Amino acid sequence: MLAMILSRIAIMIPNVIILTFLLFAAVTSFLGTPAAIMLGEDASPEAIAELNARLGFDGPLLARYWDWMSSALSGDLGRSYSTQQAVSDMVAAALPLTLELALWAIAVAVIGTALINSIPVFRGVVERVTAGISIIGITVPNFFLGLLLIYIFSVQFRWLPTTGWAPWSDGVITHLRHMILPVATLCFFYFSSFSLVFKAEYKSIENSLFIKAARAKGISEARISYRHILPNSMMPLITYAGLSLGQLVGGAVVTETVFSMPGMGRLLVDAISARDFPVMLAVGMIIIVGVMLLNLLADLTYGLVNPLVRTAT
C-alpha cells in the first residue's frame, strides 16, 4: 500500500508543476500582461510598463513563475488588486464551503447510486425511473437545473431558501436547509452518469455463477443484492467517481454562482470580472492541487476495496 501511495505522489508532483506553470503563463502572458488588461486599451506603453514593473510582471516568465510558486508554497498568495485583502484570507474564508458542497455532492451521488440501483424489488420500475433521471441529468445544464429547483421548491412551494448560505453557527437545520438545493443540483448529473456505470457492472455480477448458486440456496434477494452484488459492483463506480472530480469542480463554480454562495467558484468568477490576477492564480492553483489530491484519494479507496491493486503496485 505504501508503494502505491509513493508512486501516485511521484506522478502527481510533476503534473502539478506543469499545470500550475500553464495556469501562470495563461493568466500573466498568453492572455496579455496584467497591466495592459487592468489599464485598458487607451493606456500608454509607458504606463503599462510602469505598472508591470511595480507588480513584478516585467521579468522572464520562468523567473516570475518561480517567484510566485515559492511565495505560494510559503503560504503567501499575494494581495488582491481589487480589495487589498490577503488572498490567503479570502481563500480560507471560501474554501470550506466549496469543500463541503463537493463532498456532500459526491457522497450523496455515490451512495444514492449504489443503494437505489440495488433495490431488489420492482426492478423494472427502478430501471425506468433511474433511466429517466439519467437522461435528464446528463442533458440538462447545471445552471438551468439549479434555477428550476429554485422555482419549484423555493418560489412555488416555499419549502427551502432561494439563495445564499448559512454557517453552522446559525444552527444545523438552517445550515442544511440552505445546502439541500445546491447539493441536489450538483449531484444530479453525477447520480445520472454513475448510475449508467453501476448498472452495467451490477447486471454483469448478477449473472455470475456465485449469484446463481446463492439463489439456488434460497438466500433472499435483498441479501443477495446488498450483501453480494453491491460490494462487487462498487469498484468501477469508485474509479469513475475519481475521474469525474475535475468536472465536479467546474460544476461547483456554476452551482455557487446560481445560488450566490460565497465559495471558491464565486470567488473565481468575481476575480475574473475584476481582473484580479493574484486571486485568479490562487484559486486556479488550489483547484489543480485539489483535483490531484481527490484523485489520489480515489486511487487509495480503490486500493482498499480491491486488494489486487495494492499487490500489483
Side-chain angles (χ1 to χ4, degrees), residues 77-158:
L77 298 174
R79 302 192 75 84
S80 167
Y81 292 162
S82 57
T83 66
Q84 295 304 309
Q85 286 180 274
V87 176
S88 56
D89 293 340
M90 300 172 69
V91 169
L95 185 58
L97 190 153
T98 299
L99 287 177
E100 182 184 0
L101 177 62
L103 290 175
W104 271 117
I106 201 73
V108 171
V110 170
I111 295 172
T113 295
L115 294 181
I116 293 174
N117 287 286
S118 298
I119 295 176
V121 295
F122 305 113
R123 291 294 302 172
V125 176
V126 173
E127 288 279 346
R128 286 191 290 271
V129 170
T130 54
I133 293 175
S134 298
I135 293 172
I136 296 172
I138 292 174
T139 56
V140 176
N142 246 20
F143 72 90
F144 181 79
L145 180 61
L147 294 174
L148 181 62
L149 292 178
I150 289 173
Y151 177 76
I152 294 173
F153 294 101
S154 299
V155 178
Q156 291 295 317
F157 295 111
R158 301 182 183 276

Side-chain angles (χ1 to χ4, degrees), residues 6 13 39 56-57 68 78 81 116 123 137 139 152 162 193 196 227 237 257 282 287-288 291 303 312:
L6 294 176
I13 291 175
L39 295 177
F57 289 107
W68 171 70
Y81 292 162
I116 293 174
R123 291 294 302 172
T139 56
I152 294 173
T162 306
S193 56
L196 298 177
R227 186 72 179 270
L237 179 59
T257 304
I287 289 174
I288 289 170
V291 170

